[in-house]
Every structure is written in C-alpha cells, then in structure tokens.
Amino acid sequence: MSKLIFGVGDNDVSFKDRINNKTIKEYSLWYKKIKRCYSSSFHQNKPTYKDCKVCEDWLKFSNFYNYCQENKQWLDLGYQLDKDLLIKNNKIYSPETCVFIPYELNMLLQSQHSKKSNLPVCVKLNGNGFLARFSWKGKYVHLGTYPTKEEAEKIYLKAKEEFIQNISKQYQGVISEIAHEALKSYKMVR
C-alpha cells in the first residue's frame, strides 16, 4: 500500500518519481496540485485554493502521468497547467477543465485583489483617482486614471478582455487548439 499524499493522492506507479536525484516533471506537477487543494498549511498562505479539488481520476498519479504523456509536447516546453482558461473561476483540476499554457499567458489570466488596499490588483490609488492597469510580460499596461475604483475596474475588465482576444493570434499553433479557441473568445469575469 502506497502512502497517501496529503491524505488523498495515491502515488500508485511502480517506476521511480525521481531520476538522478531529481523529481520528474509529472510528479512535481501532480504533487503541487494535490498540495494546493489539500494542504491546510498551504491554504493559510493561499486561501483562494481552499475550495479547489483534484478530480477523482487524477488523485492517482498514474492517471495524471498518462495525461501528461498525452500532452508531452506542452510539458516539454515548460508550460503550466491552467484550470481557469476553459472555465472561469473553476475549482476542479481535471482533464476536462485544464490545459497547458505558457507562463506569461497564465500570469495574464490571473486576477486577484490586493491584500493591502482591498482594491482589485488592476486598480491603484493615484492622487485623487484610481489608475487602471494590468501586467504583461513583467510590464504594466496603463489604461488611465478614473474618479472611482468601480470605473477603473470596468475599464480594466474591458481592455484586458480585448487584449487577451487580440493576442490569441500569437498563440495559434503554440498552444492546444482548445486553449486557443478559449483565448479567442475570452471573457473577463469579476
């Protein structure tokens, strides 16, 4: 009987999850997903993952490993497994809800609220107004300053949605077809 990872994940494979003292990519990715969803100490620092789950099938490492082998071209490029592109605010990691995408695209799709100011990350206090912005490849795209945080956020949501739809052309053939289609019709949710 194998030891359960975070009480739920079953490393049920007969081969080693380490080669030359280095963890294989598939195991590292699987372990991190299990940790995000089922580690109470992880949830203390990242509470947004508290309600996330891994589908029953992927609780067995062998099934997740097979999924990675089917998508090996993306894994070999160092892409990240994203659960929110296909279904906004998704809480389930599964073969039906996840796709591999490049790091910079994964970062662009994230939207959070600032812990310090209780403002959306896309909005920053700027004098007597609120600056709307988002980040792309480590640089801010400034969208202007507005009288209210609600107006700034509205401008941000529209501009970022259009930006993501426009850059989808750059990712054709670089990401899976299902991921590309989701980018082309991307809609922001608040």
Side-chain angles (χ1 to χ4, degrees):
M1 180 80 179
S2 58
K3 178 183 168 192
L4 292 179
I5 308 299
F6 297 101
V8 295
D10 183 8
N11 184 358
D12 62 334
V13 299
S14 58
F15 59 86
K16 301 261 187 228
D17 55 31
R18 297 178 74 76
I19 298 174
N20 297 329
N21 213 20
K22 186 177 177 189
T23 304
I24 63 172
K25 290 179 197 178
E26 297 87 348
Y27 183 81
S28 180
L29 188 57
W30 177 76
Y31 180 89
K32 288 175 185 174
K33 299 304 169 217
I34 301 292
K35 181 179 181 179
R36 280 184 179 179
C37 296
Y38 301 103
S39 168
S40 55
S41 61
F42 184 85
H43 295 157
Q44 289 175 359
N45 294 327
K46 302 273 189 174
T48 56
Y49 288 98
K50 194 172 186 173
D51 296 326
C52 290
K53 303 284 180 227
V54 174
C55 74
E56 190 72 30
D57 196 42
W58 278 5
L59 290 177
K60 289 191 176 293
F61 175 56
S62 60
N63 294 331
F64 183 77
Y65 180 85
N66 290 336
Y67 173 83
C68 289
Q69 295 312 295
E70 292 166 10
N71 293 279
K72 194 158 178 56
Q73 74 271 29
W74 314 120
L75 187 64
D76 287 348
L77 288 171
Y79 285 12
Q80 296 181 332
L81 189 65
D82 178 82
K83 67 174 179 46
D84 298 306
L85 176 59
L86 302 180
I87 301 170
K88 306 301 176 278
N89 299 320
N90 177 41
K91 299 289 185 185
I92 307 289
Y93 287 96
S94 75
E96 296 79 27
T97 60
C98 292
V99 289
F100 283 102
I101 59 175
Y103 169 80
E104 73 271 3
L105 189 53
N106 199 12
M107 293 299 101
L108 178 65
L109 298 177
Q110 292 182 7
S111 56
Q112 307 160 335
H113 280 75
S114 172
K115 293 176 185 170
K116 296 177 189 171
S117 67
N118 202 24
L119 290 172
V121 167
C122 62
V123 176
K124 181 180 181 197
L125 193 56
N126 186 23
N128 291 333
F130 295 89
L131 173 67
R133 65 185 184 174
F134 63 88
S135 180
W136 173 239
K137 294 187 177 183
K139 295 181 180 172
Y140 282 112
V141 176
H142 293 275
L143 305 169
T145 301
Y146 301 90
T148 67
K149 67 180 179 182
E150 293 79 14
E151 189 176 353
E153 185 176 29
K154 182 178 176 183
I155 295 296
Y156 155 80
L157 291 170
K158 183 174 177 4
K160 189 170 177 184
E161 182 177 286
E162 289 173 359
F163 184 83
I164 290 169
Q165 291 171 359
N166 287 334
I167 66 160
S168 72
K169 296 174 193 90
Q170 297 173 20
Y171 288 95
Q172 188 168 12
V174 180
I175 58 178
S176 68
E177 188 58 34
I178 192 169
H180 181 252
E181 288 300 317
L183 273 186
K184 283 182 7 184
S185 59
Y186 191 82
K187 298 288 182 201
M188 294 291 295
V189 292
R190 189 164 184 252

